[in-house]
Amino acid sequence: MEQQNTIYDVVIAGAGPVGLFLAYKMRCLGHSVYICDPKLGPTDQSRAVLLTSRTMEIFALNGIAEHFLKEAIIAQGMEAHYKGSTLGTISVATTDLTPFPQMTLLVQEKTEAIFIDLLEKMHSSNDVKAVEWRTEVCGYSQHDDHVEVQVRNVNDDTNKTSTIQGRYLIGCDGTHSVVRRKHGDWKYEGYSVDTQFVLADIALEGRDVDRVTSYRAHAFMHPTGFCGLIPIGKRNGKDYFRLVNNLTPYQVAKSDDTTHGISRTGETVTLDRLKELMEDRLNPLDIKPVDPVWSSVFRINERKANGFRRGRAFVVGDAAHCHSPVGGQGLNLGFQDATKVDNIAWKLSLVLNGRSNDVDKLLDSYTIERDPIVKSTMTNTGSMTRLIFSGGFISDIMTYLAVSALTSIERLQKYIVTNMMQVTIHLGKDSPILLPSSSLLIESGRFMPETCFLRKRVINDKLEFKTLYQILQGVDRQHAIIWVCTRPSKYDPCPWTKDFLAKADRWKHATRPIAVESTWHVHDAKLPSYVAAGSSNSSVIKEDTFWMENNWEMQDALTKRIGLDVHLNNTKRGMEPPAAIVIIRPDGYIASTALIQSADDIDKALTPLETYLALAN
């Protein structure tokens, strides 16, 4: 056995999209990463294709959303059909809480290519490649301060292994995760489903081909089964679609073997069989598949690991949970596991830098925060799968009624779509790294919604406008303490801003203050007079502290997003309008909020940081 002397901060098993994203995040935070995968290289298959609104928000906070948008198809929603007749359209533009009210469709091979390109551009070591392909983790042992990971080259018939040392090991290695299976009490609890699904990437032809547009997904329901068509882009001048069909009705398997995912034996489906399925389920429409570039049989399981952490080992994505692909939640849950934006990357970074006083409590928060979200997703996707694929007369009628209601009742449609696009995901309330919030403002555990443009107070060569996400894209992604003191123009400027900045300075080592005022209360384009020249912070940081909001009554204004507008409108005569403090974690989730009605309230709002930042920073 070969022993390597380098001790990596993190060893990642699996270089799919989730593993690559996690590797990118850890390297952005300045940590050494060893990532390997038994595949020959990045996938050349379309596989997972949907990036939800929440995933795109995560990418935006990390400054990489544009890479995906340049390559993706933006779909308007989905058309539902029954026996060839259109029931209606399900729109995804049902909420203003996200800057990405859309289905962002991008084949997995392009998603992986983007992350690999990002990794290679930042990778400088000549000793280890950005990704070690054809290399699999085959075992590991944990020690007090590191993990010894055995890896081997899959092309080496001698089964010779090498040992890679890491501070932490993260399994992004799928449903058959070696990281999970090699630990004695790590179980993958749940069940398998006997139903087989057909996946294929095809072009279309036929008399009614114009009924299937390249800017919407299409769901064709029929008593004999389901057929889905999802646009995935052009190939050789033709519009291509992901075809999804079930071959048999939904039925729980008697076997307890994990069988989730694309056929591991390379099982494919003939073009003639694809034609039969589409002719049956789109009847009487004349739409045929042509020029398939890929096909496979897919099976689903409903399983979840009994905890996502064991000592210095973690599981993420499919290694932690798997469920029905209905709604396209799987890959997106994995991205959010990996970081939320930085669920693991941020937390491990703190530990690796020696900045956490309670390692176990901090790292256990990963499971505490993610487990309720995973359970809810599994329940929702499982229910939808049983409804759509159970077969039989009763199931057929129930599916027809449910889809008819979904396409015609706006409130129901909004509820379903915002859940599917993960806009309304909240963290588990028992997390040790969430603080109490004012019941009068946006609650802790919510993901901070994006805002309209804020204008930088200090003007040098030009005006600067940034959204909140752009402002939060700081160098080291610290906690942000946002002071929102906007108010109607009939009032004087907020008198407590100077007090806030003085009191927040106590935590300057771990937080970044951001002050947002109303435009009409800023009378010159300079730093406030109370900001001392030559202070410990650089002038650039001081300048980046102060921003202005032009109209706090706009729907996507920061003031409205956090719920302060209600209190401004209800201010009693002779009283000072309140301000608000919102503490945002590096992963974009809100740690705490507080309504400020006097300078003393600032102390009450910031005092919990003493204990909190000792844990989280």
Side-chain angles (χ1 to χ4, degrees):
M1 179 185 293
E2 294 184 0
Q3 180 82 29
Q4 301 213 4
N5 295 324
T6 302
I7 298 182
Y8 295 93
D9 290 334
V10 176
V11 175
I12 300 175
V18 174
L20 292 169
F21 183 33
L22 183 54
Y24 171 73
K25 283 303 304 168
M26 291 304 297
R27 286 175 179 164
C28 283
L29 291 166
H31 298 296
S32 58
V33 177
Y34 178 95
I35 178 171
C36 65
D37 195 293
K39 300 194 301 290
L40 300 180
T43 185
D44 59 358
Q45 298 173 345
S46 59
R47 293 181 175 253
V49 299
L50 174 67
L51 301 177
T52 63
S53 301
R54 177 53 46 82
T55 292
M56 292 307 300
E57 289 172 329
I58 286 172
F59 289 168
L61 266 174
N62 283 275
I64 59 174
E66 65 272 14
H67 298 290
F68 300 89
L69 292 172
K70 282 192 293 187
E71 299 287 342
I73 293 173
I74 305 303
Q76 297 171 231
M78 183 182 74
E79 281 190 3
H81 311 264
Y82 181 77
K83 292 184 178 180
S85 298
T86 302
L87 291 178
T89 299
I90 300 170
S91 171
V92 291
T94 60
T95 178
D96 68 338
L97 292 178
T98 175
F100 303 101
Q102 63 206 34
M103 294 173 68
T104 304
L105 303 174
L106 185 64
V107 293
Q108 185 169 318
E109 60 186 296
K110 290 186 178 180
T111 298
E112 290 187 12
I114 290 169
F115 281 125
I116 289 170
D117 183 58
L118 290 170
L119 282 169
E120 289 179 344
K121 285 179 178 177
M122 68 192 310
H123 189 67
S124 58
S125 171
N126 295 321
D127 300 325
V128 181
K129 301 172 186 174
V131 178
E132 288 288 343
W133 299 109
R134 307 183 185 189
T135 304
E136 66 178 356
V137 170
C138 48
Y140 64 95
S141 59
Q142 299 202 45
H143 303 272
D144 289 343
D145 61 351
H146 71 284
V147 184
E148 291 188 354
V149 184
Q150 286 73 54
V151 300
R152 73 176 190 90
N153 187 307
V154 296
N155 292 335
D156 187 348
D157 294 334
T158 66
N159 285 325
K160 183 179 180 181
T161 64
S162 298
T163 299
I164 304 296
Q165 295 188 47
R167 302 296 183 196
Y168 292 91
L169 170 64
I170 304 179
C172 302
D173 47 348
T175 55
H176 298 277
S177 170
V178 173
V179 174
R180 189 190 66 244
R181 288 189 291 113
K182 288 294 183 178
H183 193 285
D185 73 339
W186 224 339
K187 299 177 182 178
Y188 207 36
E189 299 169 336
Y191 56 88
S192 303
V193 176
D194 266 344
T195 309
Q196 293 183 336
F197 295 84
V198 169
L199 305 180
D201 295 346
I202 56 167
L204 301 173
E205 67 177 15
R207 181 184 65 249
D208 300 310
V209 72
D210 290 342
R211 294 282 296 275
V212 179
T213 58
S214 60
Y215 49 85
R216 283 198 181 98
H218 294 262
F220 292 89
M221 285 154 288
H222 194 274
T224 59
F226 173 86
C227 176
L229 292 169
I230 305 169
I232 57 174
K234 287 188 177 293
R235 187 186 181 101
N236 300 325
K238 296 180 179 180
D239 289 321
Y240 264 74
F241 295 82
R242 158 66 54 79
L243 172 67
V244 183
N245 288 287
N246 64 310
L247 294 179
T248 56
Y250 179 94
Q251 184 175 352
V252 175
K254 296 180 180 179
S255 168
D256 193 40
D257 294 337
T258 300
T259 55
H260 186 84
I262 290 170
S263 171
R264 305 182 83 190
T265 60
E267 193 175 355
T268 61
V269 184
T270 66
L271 179 59
D272 286 342
R273 180 59 174 144
L274 297 178
K275 287 180 178 178
E276 290 175 5
L277 291 167
M278 287 189 63
E279 181 179 359
D280 179 45
R281 294 169 189 186
L282 274 64
N283 184 53
L285 299 178
D286 178 26
I287 302 174
K288 302 180 180 67
V290 294
D291 301 332
V293 295
W294 173 78
S295 69
S296 182
V297 172
F298 187 93
R299 292 172 174 82
I300 63 175
N301 284 200
E302 299 281 340
R303 296 185 183 276
K304 183 175 70 69
N306 58 334
F308 304 151
R309 177 198 173 206
R310 293 291 188 276
R312 291 181 172 268
F314 297 81
V315 286
V316 174
D318 286 351
H321 44 76
C322 66
H323 51 83
S324 168
V326 170
Q329 306 290 285
L331 174 62
N332 297 281
L333 271 185
F335 282 139
Q336 291 155 41
D337 284 346
T339 55
K340 275 193 329 194
V341 174
D342 306 326
N343 196 319
I344 286 183
W346 157 48
K347 294 170 184 177
L348 289 186
S349 177
L350 297 176
V351 174
L352 290 166
N353 284 329
R355 291 166 60 193
S356 174
N357 294 339
D358 192 333
V359 174
D360 284 330
K361 194 172 183 181
L362 177 64
L363 297 181
D364 281 344
S365 69
Y366 168 51
T367 296
I368 293 170
E369 292 185 351
R370 294 302 296 163
D371 194 67
I373 295 171
V374 171
K375 286 179 179 176
S376 175
T377 300
M378 292 177 67
T379 298
N380 292 338
T381 58
S383 297
M384 292 171 64
T385 302
R386 288 187 288 275
L387 174 66
I388 296 172
F389 300 114
S390 288
F393 177 75
I394 299 299
S395 176
D396 182 43
I397 294 298
M398 293 296 293
T399 301
Y400 174 82
L401 292 175
V403 175
S404 296
L406 184 57
T407 56
S408 58
I409 302 174
E410 185 175 345
R411 182 174 296 182
L412 176 62
Q413 187 172 134
K414 182 175 182 178
Y415 174 79
I416 296 295
V417 169
T418 53
N419 275 277
M420 185 185 80
M421 300 308 289
Q422 301 178 319
V423 174
T424 53
I425 285 178
H426 289 200
L427 302 184
K429 295 185 181 297
D430 294 331
S431 171
I433 49 176
L434 291 178
L435 292 169
S437 286
S438 169
S439 61
L440 305 174
L441 297 172
I442 190 171
E443 63 184 325
S444 57
R446 285 272 307 274
F447 194 82
M448 182 64 210
E450 177 64 301
T451 68
C452 58
F453 282 110
L454 301 171
R455 178 156 63 92
K456 190 176 179 181
R457 171 176 178 149
V458 179
I459 299 176
N460 294 312
D461 297 330
K462 61 181 180 180
L463 292 175
E464 285 190 55
F465 293 90
K466 289 185 178 181
T467 67
L468 182 63
Y469 285 8
Q470 291 171 328
I471 295 171
L472 292 177
Q473 286 175 21
V475 177
D476 58 1
R477 295 295 309 283
Q478 294 175 305
H479 279 72
I481 307 179
I482 302 183
W483 170 258
V484 185
C485 58
T486 52
R487 50 177 53 188
S489 60
K490 64 183 179 181
Y491 293 96
D492 290 334
C494 180
W496 311 312
T497 302
K498 179 180 178 181
D499 293 323
F500 162 75
L501 291 170
K503 293 174 180 181
D505 189 64
R506 179 179 177 183
W507 292 280
K508 64 185 178 184
H509 65 286
T511 66
R512 176 186 174 190
I514 298 170
V516 180
E517 306 167 273
S518 298
T519 302
W520 42 74
H521 289 129
V522 178
H523 304 304
D524 53 35
K526 302 175 183 178
L527 288 172
S529 59
Y530 53 76
V531 176
S535 62
S536 59
N537 287 334
S538 71
S539 60
V540 174
I541 293 176
K542 285 296 185 183
E543 289 182 6
D544 280 348
T545 298
F546 296 95
W547 297 83
M548 300 181 297
E549 189 169 65
N550 292 330
N551 185 351
W552 55 266
E553 294 182 302
M554 292 176 61
Q555 192 63 35
D556 55 353
L558 174 61
T559 304
K560 204 172 188 71
R561 291 294 202 207
I562 65 171
L564 180 60
D565 61 312
V566 176
H567 306 286
L568 296 180
N569 286 324
N570 293 333
T571 301
K572 295 180 180 179
R573 184 184 298 274
M575 300 288 289
E576 285 282 357
I581 290 177
V582 180
I583 300 174
I584 301 178
R585 299 182 346 183
D587 59 7
Y589 283 82
I590 295 168
S592 179
T593 60
L595 192 68
I596 306 300
Q597 296 177 302
S598 70
D600 291 340
D601 288 342
I602 299 173
D603 289 317
K604 296 175 185 176
L606 296 181
T607 296
L609 285 175
E610 188 72 46
T611 302
Y612 173 81
L613 290 177
L615 170 65
N617 281 289

